[in-house]
Amino acid sequence: MIRRLVFLWLAVLAGAAIAAEAPPPPPQPAAPQPAAPKVVRIGVASPAVGNPPLYTTGSLGLARYKGWIDEELKGSGTRAQWFFFKGAGPAVNEALTNKQLDLVFQGDLPAIMARAAGLKTRLVLPVAIRSNVYLLVPPDSPIRGIADLKGKRVSIFRGTNAHLPVNRILAAHGLSERDLRAINFDNASAQAALTTRDIDAAFLGVESLKLVEQGVARIAYSTQGGPAVLTRQSGLLASDDFAARHPDTVRRVVRGVVRAAYWASDDAHRAEVFKVWSLMGYPLSSFETDYRDQSVKARVSPLFDPFLIGRYQDAVTGAQQFRLARGKVDVAAWIDRRFVDAALKELKLEHYWTPLDAQGRPLTTRSASAR
């Protein structure tokens, strides 16, 4: 019996030795990665001008105009294909729903409305923050402020990133859309209607200030110099499927826009930045007015800081409060910051922009540690 057990034990040891000397199994082939797409389809919630289309607005427009997105895509086998939408955010959402776009630049509210309705996107880059809202009226209008809008014909571009701030502004003055004879005009239609006096007032952005320059309108109210929480925010989004299949393409586009934001943030380039933006048909004075006492750097920050996150969270709450969107959106889960984090690291810009707190004030080291 003992001899049998010894024999079995020796057999086990011999088998183990043979197994140890055997070559390891061949490695399993890695799952094939999708080839780089031939095109990345970028949608912009704003019209372009001219033919071929010219678009120079903000850091995204600068990146396109300067060719930095094309530079980032060079050698990848992918080219950028651009689409511009007069119908702004709602039109972009329709194209996204039909799987006609991969990346889109649009305001917070339309992006939230789409996400709440089940459209799978990722918020990958803040692009334009703290954009002002202006209330324009004819020069001789008796309207002097928000309180005078009751019962008046007022243009509000519904479903855009101005819609929610306008509701906030009205509420701060004891009014709502129901107190107005609100009309849903896009920006171009609103400017035309204001010029012909078919409406009494219009909530618009910097693109409308040319009417002031032309003497056909004046500013009755502005968020400039007021609470930052009443301003507009916009960002770059990627379809969930495209970001999952082609993360390198998304990273390249984001890096191109961050490069443009960095260039524009240098005060030495301020005059040139305004000149490039004015190619869209806006007078230089519009940007000098819109950026009075404010740096370009503050408005093109690519940081997902407490201010930007708070604005999107507040927009989610406001969209439900004012019945502009159904369903909830988890902003933290929606944000995919790896692309901008990679760009900032690669460009050595991790500490270039100052993060803001929830109210839009610079977040210092001391205030950050107190949070």
Side-chain angles (χ1 to χ4, degrees):
M1 182 67 179
I2 294 175
R3 291 176 62 187
R4 185 178 180 184
L5 290 175
V6 171
F7 176 78
L8 290 174
W9 178 246
L10 291 174
V12 170
L13 290 178
I18 293 172
E21 294 174 1
Q28 295 296 318
Q33 296 297 314
K38 292 184 178 180
V39 296
V40 53
R41 302 166 299 175
I42 305 174
V44 179
S46 176
V49 297
N51 188 20
L54 178 69
Y55 179 77
T56 63
T57 303
S59 56
L60 181 70
L62 278 173
R64 181 177 188 264
Y65 180 78
K66 292 284 189 178
W68 288 323
I69 291 177
D70 291 335
E71 281 185 16
E72 292 294 335
L73 292 172
K74 189 175 181 180
S76 69
T78 303
R79 64 179 178 85
Q81 188 175 15
W82 294 80
F83 300 88
F84 303 94
F85 294 83
K86 180 181 178 182
V92 166
N93 284 341
E94 183 177 351
L96 267 176
T97 300
N98 293 328
K99 302 185 183 302
Q100 296 170 331
L101 298 172
D102 305 309
L103 299 174
V104 300
F105 169 57
Q106 64 178 175
D108 52 6
L109 179 59
I112 287 167
M113 293 171 68
R115 177 82 176 187
L119 192 59
K120 296 186 182 300
T121 58
R122 302 184 190 184
L123 182 58
V124 298
L125 176 69
V127 174
I129 67 169
R130 292 193 289 177
S131 300
N132 287 310
V133 176
Y134 295 93
L135 176 68
L136 295 192
V137 298
D140 57 353
S141 170
I143 298 172
R144 296 295 166 182
I146 302 299
D148 298 326
L149 292 179
K150 190 171 184 178
K152 297 295 192 296
R153 299 166 299 174
V154 183
S155 172
I156 301 172
F157 197 173
R158 292 191 174 101
T160 68
N161 71 336
H163 194 177
L164 187 56
V166 167
N167 275 266
R168 293 281 193 218
I169 292 165
L170 292 173
H173 292 80
L175 298 176
S176 71
E177 282 192 55
R178 293 182 179 181
D179 295 309
L180 319 177
R181 293 168 61 188
I183 303 170
N184 183 23
F185 277 154
D186 62 35
N187 292 332
S189 299
Q191 291 179 58
L194 192 65
T195 301
T196 57
R197 298 177 182 255
D198 289 321
I199 56 176
D200 301 306
F203 284 102
L204 293 161
V206 62
E207 75 284 340
S208 67
L209 296 183
K210 63 184 179 183
L211 300 183
V212 179
E213 179 85 4
Q214 295 165 359
V216 298
R218 64 174 171 81
I219 301 172
Y221 170 87
S222 168
T223 57
Q224 191 177 55
V229 295
L230 296 179
T231 57
R232 300 177 294 151
Q233 326 303 324
S234 301
L236 186 70
L237 296 99
S239 76
D240 196 63
D241 177 68
F242 189 84
R245 290 173 56 81
H246 305 294
D248 183 63
T249 303
V250 178
R251 181 190 63 81
R252 289 170 182 266
V253 173
V254 167
R255 179 174 159 130
V257 180
V258 173
R259 284 175 60 186
Y262 173 65
W263 180 83
S265 295
D266 187 339
D267 283 339
H269 298 151
R270 185 181 178 97
E272 186 178 352
V273 169
F274 290 172
K275 183 178 180 180
V276 172
W277 287 348
S278 70
L279 295 175
M280 295 289 291
Y282 311 144
L284 284 171
S285 61
S286 294
F287 301 105
E288 292 166 354
T289 297
D290 194 48
Y291 282 80
R292 184 181 299 140
D293 301 323
Q294 193 173 34
S295 68
V296 175
K297 181 179 180 180
R299 296 267 294 272
V300 298
S301 170
L303 302 183
F304 282 113
D305 56 18
F307 175 76
L308 193 283
I309 295 172
R311 288 297 83 228
Y312 271 83
Q313 290 173 333
D314 183 69
V316 170
T317 302
Q320 293 178 314
Q321 176 185 346
F322 294 110
R323 299 181 180 180
L324 302 177
R326 297 179 179 180
K328 295 182 179 180
V329 174
D330 184 341
V331 173
W334 187 24
I335 291 173
D336 190 344
R337 63 177 74 224
R338 57 186 166 139
F339 305 106
V340 66
D341 286 350
L344 293 173
K345 184 176 181 179
E346 291 164 5
L347 297 170
K348 295 180 172 53
L349 297 174
E350 298 104 311
H351 307 293
Y352 181 72
W353 281 278
T354 301
L356 305 178
D357 68 13
Q359 299 303 314
R361 299 168 299 207
L363 190 62
T364 62
T365 304
R366 175 180 296 180
S367 61
S369 61
R371 288 178 60 86

